[in-house]
Amino acid sequence: MDKLIITGGEQLNGEVRISGAKNSALPILAATLLASEPVTVCNLPHLHDITTMLELLRRMGVDLVIDEKLNVEIDASTIDKLVAPYELVKTMRASILVLGPMVAHFGEAEVSLPGGCAIGSRPVDLHIQGLRAMGAEVVVENGYIHAKTNGRLKGARVFFDTVTVTGTENILMAATLAEGQSVIENAAREPEVVDLAECLIAMGADISGHGTDTIVVNGVEKLHGCRFPVVADRIETGTYLAAVAATGGKIKAKNTNPKILDAVLQKLEEAGAKITCGEDWIELDMEGRRPKAVNVTTAPYPAFPTDMQAQFSAMNAVSEGVSILKETIFENRFMHMQEMIRMGAKINIDGNTAVVEGVEKLQAAPVMATDLRASASLVIAALVAEGDTVIDRIYHIDRGYECIEEKLQLLGARIKRVPS
Ligand code: UD1
């Protein structure tokens, strides 16, 4: 297992190019299963989760052509196995995204039930309920979800009693080929849901209301091919901005989209950052100052994203003042804080609330990454710690951050990867 060694104390300055969004690319790759013609997906980030999704499609017999820029042409017409096996689903929960498209297009799907994960129990009951409402027969047996439909799925009203991102995406995809109209209520409004809807529309789907909590889909008989670039990764963008802010530096994040980062940019301004934005770039300047502590409560979009909570806890750990962090989406998403406490952070955790008293500096310590965003937060903590921090189980970070060492090195960080 690789480790990262980071020598803290450098102020980060420079430019970074933001990659395509993992959480948009994954549903869009799954959506290619709905088309009767090849679909080309562009601006894919080079990440383990993307490789896993491509591997899943390949194992189903889907034809893939990848060019040197990682544009992938996907032809689902060659599919011959309607199964997402356990060994792939266990490494990536987002494999559940093939369920809706497979049933809708091919009338059948067998998808391994994802287990719990480090950040919480993460059930998929709402995905299953939604498909049942559309007439699919769904049985959960031997750790697998078996879904079937006789003829086309039927358009239906699907109400989610909890806002779910991949749940909304699964039902949205299924509805595009269903007979009649579907109305998804209390739908997720995340930019990645909007990006998926735009891709489906480019494939010929009839969708309106995406980006609001009510999405209306009029099913069509067939979807065609298209070429679609995935949106910029707002979480990768926010991670670099928070990292640079924690060090008091200056950064220009390019190839990104400031319009989908409102909640995060507002909190960074509150922390004392000067922020300037263009059409596809964001500049953050701390002018050498130490950040001010900011309170954060996570909630579905457009509120502050749970996927940025860990990075902000690292920034708050070295900020001036006391902050309160509340996690309302996942029940167990403070594991990084235990590691930060070992680095000298002053954090008191009570259930899903943490009180962080900023210290001037953290100290290096051997720490362990427990999930993707936790790893990113430990990288930030290490960047502002005195000495060499060794971060173990860094494979988590490769699931979601393209070329993180190279990008951080270009900003002036002292970071290297070592095999253990
Ligand atoms: C997606 C993102 C993840 C992000 C999360 C919340 C992808 C691939 N992953 O995950 O990075 O942290 O949104 O923004 O896009 N729930 C149920 N039943 C269900 C489904 C969800 O109870 O059937 C609950 C979950 O346990 C959780 C909440 O709903 O408490 C939100 O989860 P959800 O939005 O579904 O997260 P994911 O789509 O898995």
Side-chain angles (χ1 to χ4, degrees), residues 22-23 26-27 93-94 97 119 121-127 162-167 169 190 234 306-307 328-331 333 373:
K22 167 179 88 73
N23 286 355
L26 293 173
R93 300 179 46 81
L97 287 164
I119 62 175
S121 61
R122 301 183 84 175
V124 289
D125 55 316
L126 300 172
H127 302 231
T162 302
V163 178
T164 160
V165 176
T166 48
E169 290 166 345
E190 266 65 6
R234 65 194 166 103
T306 174
D307 284 352
T328 75
I329 308 284
F330 294 112
E331 65 263 34
R333 217 174 187 183
R373 305 303 168 188

Side-chain angles (χ1 to χ4, degrees), residues 9-125:
E10 301 295 330
Q11 188 183 79
L12 301 190
N13 288 293
E15 291 189 350
V16 69
R17 186 189 171 281
I18 300 302
S19 306
K22 167 179 88 73
N23 286 355
S24 178
L26 293 173
I28 285 173
L29 289 173
T32 63
L33 291 171
L34 292 161
S36 305
E37 292 169 359
V39 173
T40 302
V41 187
C42 314
N43 198 32
L44 281 175
H46 193 198
L47 298 171
H48 276 186
D49 274 8
I50 301 300
T51 314
T52 306
M53 185 58 95
L54 294 175
E55 170 65 7
L56 177 57
L57 296 176
R58 196 190 60 77
R59 292 242 207 130
M60 291 173 179
V62 170
D63 204 25
L64 304 168
V65 182
I66 306 182
D67 75 12
E68 72 290 349
K69 287 195 172 151
L70 208 67
N71 298 323
V72 185
E73 188 188 275
I74 302 164
D75 182 0
S77 65
T78 56
I79 199 163
D80 56 11
K81 273 184 238 56
L82 298 169
V83 182
Y86 174 67
E87 76 254 36
L88 288 178
V89 179
K90 78 171 183 207
T91 63
M92 188 185 66
R93 300 179 46 81
S95 311
I96 189 75
L97 287 164
V98 297
L99 179 65
M102 274 202 283
V103 197
H105 193 178
F106 306 106
E108 212 177 323
E110 214 176 291
V111 178
S112 169
L113 204 56
C117 75
I119 62 175
S121 61
R122 301 183 84 175
V124 289
D125 55 316

